[in-house]
Amino acid sequence: MTRLHGKTALVTGGALGIGMAVAQRFAAEGARVILADRNGEGAARAAAAIGANARAVTMDISDESAVAAAFAEAEETGWAPDVVVANAGVQLFGQDAQIADLDLEVWKRTIDINLTGTFLTVKYAVRTMLKNGGGSIILTGSPTAVNGEGKDFTAYSSSKAGVHGLGRTVAAAYADRGIRVNTVQPAYTETPLVAAISEDPESRAAIVSRIPIGRAGTPDDVAGIMVYLASDDGSFATGATFQVDGGMTSL
């Protein structure tokens, strides 16, 4: 498997869940991979498990100086990414709520990480790619951005709607300069992010019942489409949303 041979990828949220699975799959496809996460120790463990073609960087995506420093270090060490997966995010179970009950600080924290953090990641990815002849940027979206799945998660749903809009805007702005931007929209995918659902049998059964394929998603379900978008096979794809949701948003 060498679909990504010669490419260097930076994956945010690389310490766990979808980010770690994508980094592992990219490396298996021949890429060098930078696992970026505010949990630097977790990212380092994940990178060590991958091997010599992986390295870790501590990066809080909501902190512009940290994002700028991580991309600068990658360039200075010959690891400038031509693939960037903006995947890191939070979903504040027990705090996010319907709008009448939503605390402003929960709103701000969610937006700061999910939307502003994605903005900063994409900003520095574009700056890097403009210097190096283009590349592929992949965003992690959510069904909550497009339907009523997120009615009890006002901040999270709004942040992901912003991510979807950001992807289309940046794709249109830079298509003529060799930069592609696409959004992957997983359905309910069992990762540490959603432990509040996966560890509650009633809540888990309720959400799985709305997935026509009849099961929860896994991080590996998401990795394959990201390989396609990162590879030259996806060279004509930009500004699109790719649903990997077991049919959840098709009904």
Side-chain angles (χ1 to χ4, degrees), residues 38 95 125 160 166:
R38 63 180 178 176
Q95 299 177 63
K160 287 299 186 178
L166 178 68

Side-chain angles (χ1 to χ4, degrees), residues 75-222:
E75 290 190 65
E76 290 165 3
T77 58
W79 282 57
D82 39 35
V83 177
V84 171
V85 180
N87 166 75
V90 296
Q91 188 170 6
L92 300 179
F93 288 89
Q95 299 177 63
D96 205 346
Q98 295 183 7
I99 196 166
D101 302 313
L102 180 62
D103 186 84
L104 178 60
E105 291 308 310
V106 174
W107 169 270
K108 287 181 176 179
R109 183 182 173 201
T110 303
I111 296 298
D112 281 350
I113 295 171
N114 290 1
L115 184 53
T116 303
T118 299
F119 155 73
L120 291 171
T121 303
V122 174
K123 174 180 176 178
Y124 285 92
V126 167
R127 287 185 173 183
T128 299
M129 291 173 184
L130 286 173
K131 299 174 189 175
N132 296 299
S136 174
I137 298 171
I138 306 166
L139 313 182
T140 299
S142 170
T144 65
V146 297
N147 67 10
E149 285 295 325
K151 67 183 180 65
D152 296 321
F153 292 91
T154 302
Y156 181 80
S157 304
S158 300
S159 71
K160 287 299 186 178
V163 167
H164 283 234
L166 178 68
R168 291 191 296 271
T169 299
V170 179
Y174 293 95
D176 62 348
R177 281 167 277 183
I179 298 174
R180 299 185 293 108
V181 187
N182 292 285
T183 300
V184 172
Q185 179 184 297
Y188 168 66
T189 303
E190 292 194 324
T191 70
L193 180 70
V194 296
I197 296 175
S198 60
E199 294 174 1
D200 179 340
E202 185 175 343
S203 296
R204 185 181 187 278
I207 196 167
V208 171
S209 73
R210 300 196 295 277
I211 302 174
I213 279 182
R215 67 169 176 85
T218 71
D220 288 337
D221 290 325
V222 183

Side-chain angles (χ1 to χ4, degrees), residues 15 37-48 56-58:
D37 203 291
R38 63 180 178 176
N39 176 4
E41 292 183 0
R45 286 193 296 271
V57 61
T58 302

